[in-house]
Amino acid sequence: MSSFKYPKIENFVKPSDYKDKKLSGRILNAFTNIPYQIYKNDSNEEEWSIKHLPGNSALLSSFSYLEKESEWENHLFAWTGELEIYNRNLQKSELGQNQNQSQFDESFYLNSEDKEDIESKIKKAHESENIHPIWLLRKDQQRWRRYAENCIWPAFHYIMSTPSDGREETQWWYDYVKFNEAYASKVIAAYKPGDIIWVHDYYLLLLPQLIRMQFPNAIIAFFMHCPFPSSEYFRALPKRQQLLDGLLGSNKVSFQNPSFARHFLSSCKRILGFELTGPSQILAYGLTINVDSNPIGIDVPKIEYDTFNKEIDSKVFDLKLAYSNNNKKIIVGRDRLDSVRGVVQKLQAFETFLEMYPEMRDKVILIQVSSPSFSHSAKIEQQVSELISNINGKYGSLNSIPIHHYQMRIAKEEYFALLRVADLGLITSVRDGMNTTAFEYVIAQKYNHSPLILSEFSGNADVLHDALIVNPWDSVAVAKAIYESLNLDESRKQIMEKLLYKSVPSIQQWTNDYLTNLIEEIEIDDGKRKLTSVLDRPLLLDHYKQAHRRLFLFDYDGTLTPIVKDPAAAIPSSRLINILGKLSEDPKNLIWIISGRDQAFLEKWLGSINPKLGLSAEHGCFMKDVNNQEWVNLASEVDMSWQQKVEDIYNEYNIKTPGASTEKKKVALTWHYRRSDPELGEFNAEKLVQELQEKIAPHYDVEVMTGKANVEVRPSFVNKGEIVRRLVCAKHGSPQVHNQSTNKENDFEELPDFIVCLGDDSTDEDMFNKLNDVEKDWESKAYSKHEKFENFGIYPIKVGTASQVTNAKFHLNNPTQVLETLGLLVGDVSIFETGGSKLELDDRGHLKDSLASKKSRDIIASLRRHKSEIKK
Ligand SMILES: O=P(O)(O)OC[C@H]1O[C@H](O[C@H]2O[C@H](CO)[C@@H](O)[C@H](O)[C@H]2O)[C@H](O)[C@@H](O)[C@@H]1O
């Protein structure tokens, strides 16, 4: 059998076909786990062995084809999976959950020679050097799967989880973040410009964005192998935003069928508020993401090769002999035993069939093979066994059993023989990404032409149109379809099989089409994009801890709160209030909110709740010092006669622009068009700016500014940058003298040694510019930098994408990431809350060089010493 050779595919996509795209010719695939089990039969065995793991054969064939038959250099990055020691008599499900040290000793923590040895065995078995195992060795080895399998998988299959206080889920989430970070660091280390990074499935939803943060121009594709739920279901996941954000680091996100793609697009729109730029395109973080469906196929030539040969012929013969006495028809089902594959529905339909068609009772048997599933449910198992004993009891006799149920994993050869021997294939899943059994069944029926009944909820229903498509919840309809299928005449069966056979997608064609579409969609980078680095959060935390005089300068809208349609609704969340409270409790910290908002809004929602906050309203016209109740009006002497004229102009534009409105603050006037038709709003905003520039700006000391869906007029004597300069150059903790110009030089040792400045829109650029000037000034004065950080501790941070034009040095994507970062500083949020922190993990998944990492290393070293002493 090993002599199988792939037929060459004409015109398989080549990197050299696309010279202008500057491809490197390498594909870096990231998938859940390597296709090998690392094991020992006995803990006393010196060496670890590996064996091939069943499953994911379609995708592995795609990798194998790319590796062996194409011009691409194909790499696979995958977790090692759980290591096993068999003689411990532990079931796999118990492994990792057992905290007993005597059962779980240091054997699972390998030294570098062991790992090298295993890696070389894996490479040999894989017949390639390009497989890169990701080591995450922990006592509890299954921790890396829990969030994906207990939270994502059920939600994606419409299974609501039971309500909980969320503590366990939070721990799973941290592990999920670490799992994705571990992949990110390995892929990032291997990446070269022009590589195609192809991420697979729901265990790695954060990975695209983690890589994107590091390589803004990388080509990243994501393929979801399981279904994607409606936004109504998806939104129930507490981490919905982080999961979508993670995927939106891809250039292309693909699904098994169009409805999954549609659900994803609608989730991005409804949950994140992102703009769809076409029926299958989304604009997020400055990146255009193509969303499509591309049903995965199977390795047709290889399956034919494995199905039609002498060995299988004889197995088919044996099966017929064993089951098909008296010419009984054989219905075949093969599913994993969980709540989504519809085994219960299948049995109920079969019972209905036997009831409805008594003449068929002695003429049909159902062979159902149910293999184990990670989402195994004891309830389903019990239902299945009760149904089977009822049906067999009611319709069976001593020499005739209607249902033969095998709850086991069967060998590949037996599986193919079973598919060949069938007179009918029956698939009744209630939710499924792509059911490869359906495809394999069609191939196995190439010469026998037995029909297929397929659930309309299976991903294949959109592909295998010539199957008998049924609703598995309607047992009468399924029973009728069984009857109809078993009574089809030969010519009809032949026609159906021919059409079905033609519609089975081949994995090679799928791979070719996927890569071709991806490459053709990629926009060529003209090298003009300047990208801002993502904020290094562990570094920031480290710096924060060592600083003595910390100053925080926060913009409000779009920075601390997300942008919403109604300005009055953009009130602070309780999480924000809580974090600001904790930050301001630390005497080393001074916190300022520097906003375009008016005094009344800031006082009501921030000042009255936390008097320790310094507030600057209307871009610096009004100031309230930290720990002070008095507001100072810096604009009291300014001529305001322009206000009425501006308001009159705004009124005209409100009439011309349905949905637009005027926000009257004490000094500044803002014209909002967020609720108008976006095109009309933008068009009229441009005209309004022109008119204000001509009629108002030349005659008054005012500035006309454009913000986020707004136009604003305010006095030009002060701006956010000027406020920042005063705060940064003041003696840390001294009261502010707002209405006097302060150019007094303070002792450098009294100035802040840690400055975080966050803002999202154009007015915040004044703050970033000012900080950059301060930095240059301190540089020129040769002030001493922090030894460890080699800078003055100044962090100007843009809240937005890496591709936005800004003078800030770093970026965070959105207000959620801002809160997570501030929460990290006050110890409210774990470093593992979200990805993107450039975490360096050790090979056990602890933060590199952390206390936990050292502790774990020490324990293993001492266990090893202890063991070798015992041996002596
Ligand atoms: O300096 P900021 O704190 O960022 O304030 C700038 C302006 O923010 C507000 O408008 C913006 O946010 C609204 C709520 O999300 C949104 O509806 C509007 O479209 C945005 O332009 C505020 O209303 C203005 O007064 C501020 O100048």
Side-chain angles (χ1 to χ4, degrees):
M1 294 231 181
S2 57
S3 60
F4 173 77
K5 186 94 188 78
Y6 280 109
K8 270 266 178 224
I9 295 192
E10 288 288 315
N11 303 326
F12 191 85
V13 59
K14 294 193 271 299
S16 54
D17 293 341
Y18 296 92
K19 294 227 165 57
D20 57 332
K21 307 267 166 147
K22 299 194 184 117
L23 301 169
S24 67
R26 303 195 321 162
I27 300 173
L28 313 184
N29 282 286
F31 183 59
T32 322
N33 52 270
I34 54 168
Y36 306 97
Q37 172 75 64
I38 303 172
Y39 72 98
K40 276 183 185 182
N41 283 320
D42 190 294
S43 57
N44 292 326
E45 268 178 17
E46 282 294 310
E47 282 186 25
W48 290 88
S49 306
I50 64 157
K51 65 179 178 197
H52 191 265
L53 267 181
N56 304 303
S57 52
L59 187 62
L60 292 170
S61 298
S62 163
F63 296 159
S64 166
Y65 190 83
L66 283 168
E67 177 84 35
K68 296 187 180 129
E69 307 297 329
S70 80
E71 288 187 15
W72 296 88
E73 184 181 312
N74 192 58
H75 291 255
L76 174 60
F77 294 81
W79 171 47
T80 57
E82 290 89 347
L83 275 59
E84 298 270 14
I85 298 179
Y86 291 117
N87 81 339
R88 285 163 193 270
N89 289 332
L90 287 173
Q91 291 296 310
K92 191 168 175 179
S93 59
E94 290 171 77
L95 271 174
Q97 281 163 14
N98 195 321
Q99 300 297 315
N100 182 343
Q101 191 65 36
S102 65
Q103 299 278 1
F104 263 90
D105 59 22
E106 82 287 9
S107 329
F108 289 101
Y109 301 113
L110 311 186
N111 55 34
S112 45
E113 292 93 76
D114 280 338
K115 279 192 245 161
E116 269 169 38
D117 177 54
I118 295 172
E119 288 200 11
S120 80
K121 285 178 180 152
I122 291 171
K123 286 178 179 172
K124 195 168 165 214
H126 203 62
E127 296 173 14
S128 163
E129 284 294 304
N130 300 335
I131 181 164
H132 311 275
I134 290 166
W135 295 94
L136 284 166
L137 303 165
R138 281 295 272 276
K139 197 157 61 177
D140 173 4
Q141 297 188 83
Q142 289 194 322
R143 62 190 305 149
W144 311 115
R145 299 178 177 277
R146 288 206 183 97
Y147 187 79
E149 294 179 0
N150 297 346
C151 300
I152 301 179
W153 189 91
F156 283 21
H157 287 83
Y158 292 154
I159 302 168
M160 266 301 176
S161 47
T162 40
S164 75
D165 64 9
R167 266 182 283 182
E168 199 179 29
E169 192 180 320
T170 302
Q171 190 49 55
W172 298 342
W173 170 253
Y174 293 168
D175 289 334
Y176 187 76
V177 172
K178 283 189 199 174
F179 188 72
N180 279 260
E181 290 270 8
Y183 275 73
S185 57
K186 196 126 191 177
V187 173
I188 285 167
Y191 177 79
K192 287 188 207 155
D195 285 350
I196 289 177
I197 299 169
W198 196 355
V199 182
H200 298 268
D201 228 1
Y202 62 98
Y203 292 83
L204 296 172
L205 299 185
L206 306 180
L207 186 55
Q209 193 66 266
L210 296 181
I211 302 170
R212 173 73 60 216
M213 284 176 171
Q214 191 73 16
F215 299 118
N217 288 324
I219 306 169
I220 307 173
F222 183 92
F223 190 84
M224 183 75 85
H225 292 258
C226 77
F228 194 87
S230 124
S231 65
E232 294 300 321
Y233 233 92
F234 183 79
R235 68 186 322 137
L237 282 169
K239 298 294 178 195
R240 60 202 183 173
Q241 178 172 348
Q242 286 89 335
L243 295 171
L244 290 177
D245 265 354
L247 278 174
L248 291 173
S250 323
N251 300 89
K252 181 181 180 73
V253 181
S254 306
F255 296 88
Q256 298 279 22
N257 78 30
S259 57
F260 303 156
R262 205 165 17 87
H263 291 327
F264 173 71
L265 282 165
S266 101
S267 295
C268 293
K269 195 171 172 198
R270 286 160 196 268
I271 296 170
L272 298 184
F274 281 136
E275 192 191 334
L276 304 189
T277 43
S280 55
Q281 242 186 17
I282 187 158
L283 184 68
Y285 306 125
L287 191 74
T288 300
I289 298 137
N290 292 298
V291 178
D292 65 2
S293 67
N294 196 343
I296 200 168
I298 55 165
D299 194 344
V300 176
K302 177 83 168 68
I303 285 169
E304 280 199 27
Y305 183 85
D306 288 346
T307 308
F308 300 105
N309 56 56
K310 289 219 170 83
E311 188 190 351
I312 310 291
D313 289 347
S314 88
K315 284 197 184 298
V316 171
F317 181 79
D318 292 346
L319 279 173
K320 276 196 176 144
L321 212 61
Y323 292 105
S324 189
N325 45 348
N326 304 328
N327 280 333
K328 278 191 180 167
K329 300 271 189 193
I330 301 175
I331 303 176
V332 164
R334 192 269 204 161
D335 309 88
R336 262 177 274 163
L337 195 53
D338 56 31
S339 58
V340 300
R341 314 292 158 166
V343 179
V344 170
Q345 284 81 349
K346 187 183 306 194
L347 296 172
Q348 285 167 340
F350 187 62
E351 185 177 18
T352 311
F353 164 78
L354 295 177
E355 217 169 287
M356 283 171 69
Y357 304 100
E359 72 279 16
M360 298 298 283
R361 287 178 193 164
D362 289 339
K363 297 188 179 123
V364 182
I365 60 161
L366 167 65
I367 303 180
Q368 173 65 31
V369 178
S370 305
S371 54
S373 165
F374 74 76
S375 53
H376 161 263
S377 144
K379 195 174 144 207
I380 297 288
E381 199 174 315
Q382 195 191 340
Q383 254 182 306
V384 164
S385 81
E386 279 171 11
L387 268 166
I388 292 173
S389 49
N390 278 346
I391 299 168
N392 283 348
K394 197 166 166 191
Y395 298 105
S397 62
L398 277 181
N399 54 8
S400 158
I401 302 168
I403 303 176
H404 297 257
H405 187 222
Y406 300 94
Q407 203 175 324
M408 62 203 288
R409 205 172 255 135
I410 54 171
K412 192 175 81 179
E413 294 74 20
E414 283 182 324
Y415 168 61
F416 287 131
L418 192 67
L419 296 184
R420 273 185 55 185
V421 89
D423 294 293
L424 172 64
L426 184 52
I427 292 176
T428 47
S429 33
V430 292
R431 185 129 175 100
D432 216 342
M434 192 55 68
N435 191 309
T436 47
T437 302
F439 289 149
E440 285 155 359
Y441 172 81
V442 170
I443 300 304
Q445 287 300 327
K446 188 173 181 180
Y447 305 109
N448 218 20
H449 315 132
S450 296
L452 170 69
I453 293 180
L454 182 62
S455 160
E456 67 183 73
F457 300 112
S458 153
N460 323 50
D462 274 358
V463 180
L464 297 175
H465 298 288
D466 294 286
L468 283 102
I469 306 290
V470 293
N471 173 1
W473 297 99
D474 183 349
S475 59
V476 172
V478 180
K480 284 183 181 164
I482 296 175
Y483 183 80
E484 186 191 333
S485 314
L486 293 176
N487 289 297
L488 284 172
D489 65 44
E490 190 50 39
S491 64
R492 180 80 197 111
K493 287 203 285 186
Q494 264 190 42
I495 295 169
M496 282 166 84
E497 167 62 21
K498 235 185 186 159
L499 294 167
L500 282 171
Y501 185 91
K502 266 200 212 151
S503 46
V504 173
S506 95
I507 190 71
Q508 292 78 12
Q509 198 58 47
W510 175 82
T511 311
N512 179 64
D513 295 350
Y514 194 87
L515 288 173
T516 310
N517 289 341
L518 170 70
I519 297 165
E520 285 179 357
E521 284 159 7
I522 293 299
E523 286 159 20
I524 303 164
D525 171 31
D526 58 6
K528 283 189 195 142
R529 275 168 88 196
K530 179 192 160 281
L531 297 151
T532 311
S533 320
V534 67
L535 178 70
D536 186 335
R537 285 185 271 182
L539 181 86
L540 186 86
L541 177 61
D542 204 1
H543 207 156
Y544 176 83
K545 284 184 185 156
Q546 306 206 22
H548 304 287
R549 298 174 302 281
R550 309 173 190 131
L551 179 62
F552 291 89
L553 308 163
F554 298 140
D555 164 56
Y556 181 72
D557 287 281
T559 297
L560 297 181
T561 51
I563 291 291
V564 290
K565 283 211 162 148
D566 176 8
I571 60 171
S573 63
S574 57
R575 190 175 185 206
L576 170 62
I577 294 292
N578 189 16
I579 290 175
L580 290 178
K582 288 198 176 151
L583 264 186
S584 61
E585 266 160 31
D586 189 327
K588 291 178 184 165
N589 298 343
L590 288 183
I591 298 145
W592 278 86
I593 313 289
I594 304 171
S595 171
R597 289 276 179 171
D598 65 13
Q599 194 182 323
F601 182 94
L602 295 182
E603 186 57 40
K604 179 172 177 190
W605 294 109
L606 295 160
S608 66
I609 299 169
N610 185 345
K612 287 188 176 156
L613 300 177
L615 302 177
S616 161
E618 299 199 35
H619 304 278
C621 290
F622 300 89
M623 303 284 286
K624 191 181 103 164
D625 205 355
V626 283
N627 282 319
N628 195 329
Q629 300 313 303
E630 294 289 306
W631 278 91
V632 179
N633 180 356
L634 302 185
S636 56
E637 317 266 288
V638 176
D639 170 19
M640 297 291 176
S641 55
W642 53 269
Q643 278 184 326
Q644 190 54 53
K645 294 192 168 71
V646 171
E647 198 184 339
D648 291 344
I649 299 177
Y650 280 4
N651 284 342
E652 285 169 30
Y653 278 82
N654 284 339
I655 296 167
K656 287 196 258 190
T657 327
S661 60
T662 303
E663 183 188 357
K664 274 171 80 176
K665 300 186 251 189
K666 264 199 179 154
V667 175
L669 291 179
T670 312
W671 182 73
H672 287 282
Y673 61 92
R674 184 167 299 279
R675 284 197 272 202
S676 316
D677 172 78
E679 280 181 21
L680 180 68
E682 270 167 39
F683 179 80
N684 281 343
E686 246 178 69
K687 294 211 149 222
L688 171 62
V689 170
Q690 239 176 29
E691 195 168 334
L692 293 167
Q693 297 288 17
E694 282 163 18
K695 294 187 181 158
I696 305 293
H699 312 292
Y700 301 93
D701 198 8
V702 293
E703 207 174 317
V704 179
M705 304 179 307
T706 50
K708 288 192 163 168
N710 76 29
V711 174
E712 185 154 25
V713 181
R714 60 151 177 83
S716 46
F717 76 96
V718 68
N719 65 36
K720 288 184 173 188
E722 177 52 24
I723 301 298
V724 161
R725 189 194 64 75
R726 289 189 198 182
L727 295 173
V728 170
C729 298
K731 181 177 166 187
H732 193 71
S734 66
Q736 285 288 307
V737 189
H738 299 294
N739 34 16
Q740 281 170 27
S741 147
T742 50
N743 282 323
K744 181 181 159 243
E745 289 256 332
N746 283 305
D747 182 357
F748 180 66
E749 292 308 317
E750 293 175 334
L751 300 181
D753 57 358
F754 178 84
I755 305 162
V756 165
C757 176
L758 284 152
D760 71 313
D761 67 22
S762 53
T763 60
D764 304 319
E765 292 299 319
D766 291 336
M767 302 202 278
F768 304 145
N769 282 333
K770 203 47 84 180
L771 285 178
N772 293 341
D773 291 349
V774 167
E775 192 160 25
K776 273 189 220 135
D777 182 42
W778 290 357
E779 194 105 50
S780 71
K781 290 177 177 150
Y783 286 160
S784 53
K785 294 182 176 174
H786 292 276
E787 255 172 59
K788 188 169 169 199
F789 306 104
E790 292 174 2
N791 63 26
F792 295 112
I794 301 179
Y795 292 89
I797 307 161
K798 177 86 173 177
V799 181
T801 61
S803 56
Q804 265 179 3
V805 179
T806 178
N807 291 304
K809 301 242 166 75
F810 312 99
H811 86 106
L812 286 172
N813 278 343
N814 48 40
T816 307
Q817 281 196 348
V818 169
L819 288 203
E820 275 157 7
T821 306
L822 299 179
L824 180 69
L825 303 185
V826 295
D828 248 22
V829 167
S830 156
I831 188 83
F832 305 115
E833 179 67 24
T834 40
S837 296
K838 298 186 186 169
L839 295 176
E840 268 205 80
L841 302 174
D842 67 15
D843 65 4
R844 282 177 287 281
H846 292 299
L847 209 53
K848 218 171 193 171
D849 302 327
S850 66
L851 218 60
S853 169
K854 284 180 196 145
K855 216 165 128 190
S856 155
R857 232 182 7 240
D858 292 349
I859 292 172
I860 298 152
S862 82
L863 278 167
R864 288 213 169 107
R865 270 198 309 274
H866 182 66
K867 209 170 171 185
S868 71
E869 272 159 26
I870 292 174
K871 267 190 189 165
K872 274 186 219 161

